[in-house]
Amino acid sequence: MAVKLESMLEEVAVEKAVGMVLAHDLTQIIPGQFKGRLFKKGHVIREEDIPALLSIGKEHIYTIRLEKGILHEDEAALRMAKAAQGANVQLTEPHEGKITLKSTIHGLAKIDKARIDEVNSLDQIIMSTIRTNSVVHPGQGLMGTRVIPLIIEEARIAEVERIAAADGPLVEVKPFKKLRVGLITTGSEVFKGRIQDKFGPVVREKLAALGSEVIEQRFAPDDSEIIVREIRRFKEEGADAIFVTGGMSVDPDDRTPGSIKQAGARIVSYGTPMLPGSMLLIGYLDEIPIMGLPGCVMHDPYTSFDVLLPRICAGEMITRDDITEMGYGGLYNC
C-alpha cells in the first residue's frame, strides 16, 4: 500500500518559511544552460532565498514528520546503494535523491543483470546501471539508485536488501591482470616480407590499454608444423596467453585453426555470432587462453576480440555460453 505522504507533510508558504529546514533537494532547470541542485536537503531557508524559490515555482515548502517504518528518499537510496556495493566501488553523497556508485580502479565492471531486473520489477524502485563486462576507469559511474516518491516504506527497501544479499554483490569491478602474451603472426606473405605486418601494433596497443603486454612477436609461414611449434614454445616459456593472428578464413591455405587444435588446445568456439569478428577462435591450452584473430582486428575499431579481451585480462574463463550470448546486440558497423 502506498504511503500517505500528505499525513506526514506540513505545507508552509515560502514567505513564512525563513528559518525552516528543507526536507529534500530542490532542482533548478534553465533549458540549455543548467540543470542541477539549487538548494540541498537540510538547507536553512533565509530571507534572500525567497526570490530563488519563487523562480523555480516553489510558493510553498514542506517539513516532514517521518513515521516509524518510513524512510526519506536519501536514506532509501543510500541503503540500496550499500546493499549493491561490491569490491572496488565507492558511493557518492545523495544528490537530488540519487546516489551514484563509482569505480575506484581501472578494471572490468561486473553487474548481476538478473537481480538488477528483479529489483527494478519492484514498484517505484530504481537501479540504473552500465552494461556488465564494460571496461571502466577510476571515478566512472556504474549504477545510480533512487526511489520515485519522497518517502517510502522501509519494508520495500528491506526487500531490495534481501535480493542484493542473495548471491554476492550486485556491482563490483575486477582489476585487470598484467598478462604476458605471446604473439604469433602467420602468413607466408608477411613471413617472406612481401607485405608489412599490421597485426602487431594493433594487438600491442589493445593489450597496453588493459595493462598487459606482448612479450615477443614471432612470424610463421602457412605451415602447420611451424605454427604448432611456436605455440608450444610460448607455452613452455610461460606465456599467460597466446594470440595467433591471420590465417583464420576458410581458404585451404589458412592453417591457424587446425594448428591451434593440433597444438593440443581445447577449442571453446571457432566462430562467434558477432560481426565484425565472426571468424575468431577461442580455446585453452591447459589453462592458457589461446585465440585465433581474424583480419578484421587490424582495421575495425571494435570486434569480437574487443569484447573478449577485457574478460581474459581480468582472469575470467570464457565458456561456450559466453560466445552464444554475443550474438544478441552483436552487429556493429555493418
Side-chain angles (χ1 to χ4, degrees):
M1 181 181 294
V3 179
K4 292 183 178 180
L5 177 61
E6 295 80 6
S7 66
M8 298 181 223
L9 290 179
E10 180 180 354
E11 182 180 274
V12 180
V14 293
E15 292 86 356
K16 297 180 180 181
V18 175
M20 293 186 175
V21 178
L22 284 177
H24 59 91
D25 291 349
L26 293 180
T27 300
Q28 182 180 43
I29 301 175
I30 303 175
Q33 298 181 42
F34 176 79
K35 192 272 185 184
R37 185 167 58 190
L38 180 61
F39 293 110
K40 185 177 180 181
K41 172 193 171 186
H43 175 75
V44 178
I45 297 175
R46 304 164 299 176
E47 186 75 34
E48 56 264 37
D49 296 332
I50 293 176
L53 289 167
L54 292 173
S55 75
I56 62 172
K58 297 298 180 184
E59 296 186 350
H60 300 82
I61 69 157
Y62 298 89
T63 58
I64 301 180
R65 301 181 310 278
L66 290 178
E67 297 176 359
K68 185 177 180 180
I70 303 300
L71 300 178
H72 184 274
E73 62 175 353
D74 285 352
E75 185 177 357
L78 180 60
R79 282 180 54 169
M80 292 196 299
K82 287 182 175 179
Q85 182 181 21
N88 303 310
V89 175
Q90 64 183 4
L91 310 182
T92 66
E93 293 294 320
H95 183 83
E96 298 176 324
K98 181 186 75 175
I99 289 178
T100 302
L101 289 78
K102 296 187 174 184
S103 176
T104 61
I105 65 168
H106 179 213
L108 187 73
K110 303 299 294 186
I111 314 289
D112 190 321
K113 180 181 182 299
R115 284 188 294 151
I116 295 295
D117 289 347
E118 186 176 358
V119 167
N120 284 322
S121 71
L122 304 174
D123 191 37
Q124 297 189 315
I125 301 290
I126 303 298
M127 281 188 173
S128 181
T129 78
I130 65 171
R131 289 184 178 274
T132 194
N133 295 323
S134 296
V135 175
V136 296
H137 296 272
Q140 185 170 338
L142 307 167
M143 170 192 280
T145 64
R146 74 173 307 157
V147 295
I148 296 302
L150 179 60
I151 58 177
I152 195 167
E153 299 97 329
E154 183 177 13
R156 295 171 67 184
I157 303 306
E159 175 64 8
V160 174
E161 293 169 327
R162 182 195 67 77
I163 294 170
D167 185 24
L170 292 181
V171 181
E172 63 180 326
V173 182
K174 287 187 173 182
F176 292 125
K177 301 176 181 293
K178 184 176 177 60
L179 299 185
R180 301 170 65 256
V181 178
L183 180 62
I184 303 167
T185 297
T186 69
S188 297
E189 68 280 14
V190 177
F191 182 77
K192 295 181 179 179
R194 298 190 187 108
I195 65 170
Q196 184 180 2
D197 166 55
K198 300 292 186 180
F199 268 112
V202 172
V203 174
R204 289 176 190 274
E205 182 179 356
K206 290 180 183 294
L207 281 167
L210 300 174
S212 292
E213 64 177 348
V214 172
I215 53 172
E216 186 180 353
Q217 182 178 11
R218 297 172 185 161
F219 297 88
D222 294 312
D223 184 315
S224 293
E225 184 177 339
I226 296 175
I227 299 171
V228 169
R229 184 172 67 237
E230 297 294 0
I231 291 171
R232 289 174 175 168
R233 279 180 58 193
F234 272 130
K235 178 178 182 295
E236 292 166 3
E237 292 169 6
D240 299 311
I242 301 169
F243 297 161
V244 188
T245 70
M248 291 299 300
S249 77
V250 294
D251 293 342
D253 59 349
D254 281 345
R255 309 293 171 79
T256 297
S259 299
I260 291 174
K261 186 174 182 179
Q262 188 178 337
R266 172 180 60 85
I267 307 301
V268 174
S269 178
Y270 173 28
T272 62
M274 177 176 167
L275 294 168
S278 61
M279 300 303 289
L280 181 140
L281 179 150
I282 174 73
Y284 288 88
L285 194 59
D286 292 337
E287 299 302 312
I288 301 172
I290 183 166
M291 301 180 78
L293 307 184
C296 62
V297 171
M298 286 187 290
H299 49 75
D300 283 298
Y302 193 75
T303 71
S304 56
F305 180 54
D306 298 282
V307 173
L308 296 176
L309 181 61
R311 299 189 62 185
I312 290 170
C313 288
E316 294 194 346
M317 181 77 73
I318 305 301
T319 68
R320 189 66 182 81
D321 286 344
D322 293 325
I323 301 299
T324 300
E325 292 172 359
M326 290 170 65
Y328 183 76
L331 183 63
Y332 290 82
N333 302 322
C334 293

